[in-house]
Amino acid sequence: TAVQTGKVDVGIAGMTVEPDRLENVDFTDSYATGVQVVIVPEGSEIASVDDLEGKLIGVQESTTGWQYCTEDYGDENVIPYPNGATAVQALMDGKVDCVVIDQQPALSFVEANEGLTILDTEYAVEDYAIAVSKDNTGLKDAINTALNELIEDGTVQGILDKYISAE
């Protein structure tokens, strides 16, 4: 909304390119791919995303995982939490059957909490890009030029490796 109304020039924070957002803003070229995964307790009867029907799914509110799960399984089966850690704690406390969240934080949560595992199947794959006002194609073009240079010289991958890791 801040980009759309001109309050800010760009939105950069793991912004997923999706049809609803494309109605309001433009996006630069993608700089990373994100994967939504499912965390379950070890030994869970949930073995793949096909087993989520009728289960209580914990998510971080206002994320694409929340959006996808409510679209796929309905509000009554999805419990939003203020952050990923709270959703994972709810899973450990038996309040939800699984948690759908980005892969990198999921790896950290599973590493830090014995008895949890990530399903081998992906829930969703997303492209991350920078949101820019539809009225500012010049800025979008300039960002794409710089972004592509940073991708080609390895800078973007270095940043992703440093800041978006499971450690």
Side-chain angles (χ1 to χ4, degrees):
T1 303
V3 172
Q4 183 182 359
T5 61
K7 186 174 182 180
V8 299
D9 293 320
V10 296
I12 309 172
M15 296 287 298
T16 302
V17 179
E18 58 180 24
D20 289 346
R21 289 179 176 163
L22 283 168
E23 291 177 13
N24 301 309
V25 297
D26 281 339
F27 281 94
T28 63
D29 297 338
S30 176
Y31 63 83
T33 300
V35 177
Q36 295 284 318
V37 298
V38 182
I39 303 173
V40 296
E42 290 177 352
S44 172
E45 65 181 33
I46 300 172
S48 77
V49 294
D50 296 331
D51 299 329
L52 296 181
E53 189 69 43
K55 303 297 184 201
L56 281 179
I57 303 167
V59 295
Q60 181 176 333
E61 64 188 359
S62 301
T63 62
T64 53
W66 177 47
Q67 179 184 345
Y68 300 149
C69 289
T70 55
E71 288 172 3
D72 292 344
Y73 303 104
D75 289 332
E76 66 277 6
N77 293 311
V78 180
I79 301 175
Y81 292 94
N83 55 55
T86 307
V88 170
Q89 186 61 53
L91 175 63
M92 293 173 46
D93 292 343
K95 295 177 181 176
V96 295
D97 299 307
C98 64
V99 170
V100 173
I101 194 166
D102 285 340
Q103 184 176 38
Q104 292 304 328
L107 291 167
S108 296
F109 289 132
V110 168
E111 184 179 314
N113 296 285
E114 191 173 324
L116 298 180
T117 190
I118 298 171
L119 297 183
D120 289 335
T121 55
E122 300 167 340
Y123 186 79
V125 178
E126 311 167 314
D127 285 321
Y128 294 149
I130 299 168
V132 181
S133 169
K134 287 186 171 287
D135 298 330
N136 203 342
T137 56
L139 179 59
K140 182 177 101 174
D141 293 344
I143 292 171
N144 276 336
T145 298
L147 184 60
N148 285 310
E149 289 174 11
L150 295 171
I151 289 170
E152 288 175 19
D153 75 10
T155 300
V156 169
Q157 190 59 53
I159 292 168
L160 294 172
D161 291 345
K162 182 175 180 178
Y163 294 104
I164 304 179
S165 69
E167 299 174 9

